[in-house]
Amino acid sequence: MNNVIFGIDVSSRDSSVCEFVGQAKNEFKITNDTPGFTQLLKELQLFAKKPQIIFESTGVYSRRLQAFLDDYDYQYVIMNPLTAKKEMNQGLRYNKTDKNDACHLAMIQLQNHHPFFKKEAEAYHKMQSLDRSYDELTHDIVSAKNRLHRILQLTFPEIETLFNIARGENYWQIVKLYPHCQIVRNLNKDNIINDLLKIKSIGQKRAQKMADKLIDLANKAYPAASQDSPETSDAVYYADRLLQLTADRNERLEKMIFLAQTLKTDDLEILVSIPGFAKTTAVRVLAELGNIRRFKNPNKIDAFIGIDPGRYQSGQIDSHLGISKHGNAIARKVLYRAIGQIAQAAQFSPCHIAEYYAKKKSSQTKGFKKIAIASVHKLVRTIYALIINNQLYDYEVAKQNQRRKS
């Protein structure tokens, strides 16, 4: 009875189950709903000792199965689909069918004894869900910005020069007021100043300067669309959409920060102590990596986010490829971008990672991406060491540790 294994191949509406009891095999299908999970529960309860359960992570589809198993306190193995495919191809898979995949998953567990998934605090799951929504909203914001830019080229392209720094909420509110240059031309300066004063953080002096600039830009403009054109309405729509998307994204960020602060750890404070790590980056790293203490070593985090080196073996050929790109792509992207933030912050707050990055860049022996990924490796090791030792970042300590290793 020790080798009772349930391999489950999860699809959108139903799942194939392969039950191994010693050498005996039983295959059946279940629906991914209450009746189907009740059927699975009856099969699982036939055994005095709880069976081993293994399935692939298939996004939202496998989450329902995972929730069911958590509710009934069953341990399980969640396989990365790419890892599962690799192990299946090592002498297991001959025919591609759902039933075969379910049985092959069971055989993988029988042969390789993968560790059970360690359930994390509910706050981590909520944070990750919020971060996925945050990431989607970021994509929507980029898309809306591009559309607004294209429309303004027809109605009031000069308004894009109103702000010298990155355009944000104040700019979009001004675009809502003046989506077409003719609207500015139709108003006197006092009207424009009064409109601008209604926008938060714009005072009297700034409103007067911006009014002068808006009038000057409007007089220079030569629009391709008229004031009553659909493009003018579209400019208002996308400016308003950007304001709403930004508010929605900020709301999710605030919720993530609140959840991180409810954890019985100082992990958020520790991550923020790294130069260049604002709360946004820190909480997103926590949301995607989860409880960092569950990893046995930094290499496990590398594999989790897909920056571990790939390898190709065939006959006499044995070569190392670029990074595997398996695992959590969002975490990989957040950490990759963090390197640029750390490099910028180094002007005011020294960091050994920024120094490593600058040294590699100056050597110009590798491409930019390779240097950035090498820096992410170092960042992962720093994060892991700080969290495991429950320490804030200290530049001098980090430099001493670097000297010892070299």
Side-chain angles (χ1 to χ4, degrees):
M1 290 294 182
N2 292 334
N3 285 329
V4 179
I5 301 174
F6 278 64
I8 306 176
D9 187 75
V10 183
S11 299
S12 58
R13 295 184 179 179
D14 52 41
S15 298
S16 296
V17 183
C18 183
E19 173 189 325
F20 270 105
V21 185
Q23 298 299 316
K25 182 171 69 173
N26 177 34
E27 299 177 70
F28 57 94
K29 278 209 168 200
I30 61 168
T31 50
N32 296 334
D33 52 20
T34 299
F37 292 147
T38 301
Q39 179 189 350
L40 176 60
L41 182 61
K42 289 178 181 177
E43 291 290 334
L44 292 169
Q45 289 176 335
L46 292 175
F47 304 96
K49 185 175 180 180
K50 289 186 176 180
Q52 300 179 57
I53 303 166
I54 182 170
F55 56 92
E56 292 178 356
S57 173
T58 54
V60 292
Y61 303 132
S62 60
R63 284 285 298 276
R64 285 178 285 176
L65 173 62
Q66 188 177 347
F68 158 73
L69 294 172
D70 285 338
D71 288 342
Y72 288 91
D73 198 28
Y74 279 93
Q75 290 187 305
Y76 47 85
V77 176
I78 304 180
M79 290 288 291
N80 179 293
L82 293 171
T83 304
K85 181 181 177 182
K86 181 180 178 181
E87 294 191 17
M88 285 182 187
N89 286 336
Q90 292 175 347
L92 291 179
R93 176 181 278 164
Y94 297 98
N95 300 303
K96 168 63 176 142
T97 67
D98 289 342
K99 285 186 177 181
N100 281 334
D101 278 353
C103 290
H104 288 155
L105 283 167
M107 292 170 69
I108 284 173
Q109 183 60 13
L110 184 65
Q111 292 180 7
N112 299 332
H113 307 291
H114 290 287
F116 291 122
F117 176 79
K118 292 182 180 179
K119 189 177 179 181
E120 296 183 294
E122 185 62 25
Y124 286 114
H125 295 290
K126 290 179 179 178
M127 285 167 62
Q128 188 181 73
S129 295
L130 286 165
D131 191 57
R132 299 299 165 88
S133 180
Y134 181 97
D135 195 61
E136 289 173 359
L137 287 168
T138 299
H139 285 292
D140 291 342
I141 287 171
V142 171
S143 176
K145 280 182 178 179
N146 291 336
R147 290 175 181 175
L148 179 60
H149 167 74
R150 289 196 295 269
I151 292 164
L152 287 175
Q153 300 313 298
L154 304 175
T155 62
F156 194 178
E158 286 76 11
I159 199 172
E160 292 189 322
T161 65
L162 186 63
F163 287 81
N164 294 325
I165 58 175
R167 295 183 286 272
E169 293 179 53
N170 282 355
Y171 168 69
W172 297 324
Q173 289 188 56
I174 292 171
V175 170
K176 273 185 69 177
L177 291 170
Y178 312 116
H180 195 282
C181 58
Q182 190 59 45
I183 298 173
V184 177
R185 294 171 184 169
N186 294 339
L187 298 171
N188 62 43
K189 183 179 176 180
D190 289 339
N191 293 141
I192 296 171
I193 291 172
N194 289 334
D195 286 340
L196 294 175
L197 287 172
K198 294 174 185 176
I199 298 174
K200 188 178 178 181
S201 78
I202 295 182
Q204 185 70 37
K205 288 185 178 180
R206 192 179 179 201
Q208 289 175 344
K209 288 182 180 180
M210 292 182 76
D212 287 332
K213 192 169 183 180
L214 272 168
I215 292 168
D216 180 56
L217 293 173
N219 289 331
K220 288 178 180 178
Y222 196 97
S226 61
Q227 182 180 342
D228 60 353
S229 67
E231 286 84 359
T232 302
S233 299
D234 286 346
V236 174
Y237 169 79
Y238 281 111
D240 192 53
R241 178 161 171 74
L242 281 162
L243 288 166
Q244 186 59 55
L245 287 170
T246 303
D248 290 344
R249 189 175 66 167
N250 289 340
E251 180 188 3
R252 281 149 181 79
L253 179 62
E254 289 170 7
K255 286 181 178 178
M256 281 192 285
I257 292 171
F258 172 78
L259 287 166
Q261 291 170 340
T262 64
L263 296 168
K264 297 178 180 179
T265 68
D266 297 321
D267 292 358
L268 182 61
E269 184 184 355
I270 290 169
L271 291 177
V272 171
S273 73
I274 300 172
F277 256 60
K279 269 192 178 179
T280 300
T281 302
V283 79
R284 294 198 69 196
V285 168
L286 277 181
E288 293 301 332
L289 295 186
N291 185 355
I292 295 170
R293 291 171 177 81
R294 79 183 191 277
F295 295 101
K296 292 182 179 179
N297 54 60
N299 292 335
K300 297 293 183 182
I301 301 178
D302 285 349
F304 181 79
I305 65 176
I307 61 169
D308 53 323
R311 192 173 182 181
Y312 176 80
Q313 287 181 308
S314 178
Q316 300 299 314
I317 301 173
D318 186 355
S319 60
H320 290 277
L321 308 175
I323 60 173
S324 66
K325 293 189 179 180
H326 297 176
N328 191 318
I330 295 178
R332 186 167 65 245
K333 177 175 66 177
V334 172
L335 289 167
Y336 182 86
R337 290 178 176 172
I339 297 301
Q341 296 166 10
I342 291 170
Q344 287 183 341
Q347 301 174 48
F348 312 100
S349 303
C351 179
H352 72 290
I353 298 167
E355 291 174 355
Y356 173 85
Y357 176 71
K359 183 179 178 181
K360 290 289 183 182
K361 274 186 72 178
S362 63
S363 67
Q364 296 183 346
T365 57
K366 296 181 179 180
F368 167 76
K369 287 186 177 179
K370 287 185 178 180
I371 295 169
I373 291 298
S375 302
V376 172
H377 280 287
K378 191 168 285 291
L379 174 58
V380 165
R381 274 145 186 76
T382 300
I383 289 172
Y384 186 78
L386 293 175
I387 296 293
I388 292 297
N389 295 305
N390 203 39
Q391 294 177 341
L392 298 177
Y393 180 83
D394 186 298
Y395 173 69
E396 294 302 328
V397 173
K399 288 294 290 181
Q400 286 176 11
N401 291 336
Q402 285 293 107
R403 292 191 195 102
R404 287 182 195 136
K405 289 176 183 177
S406 57

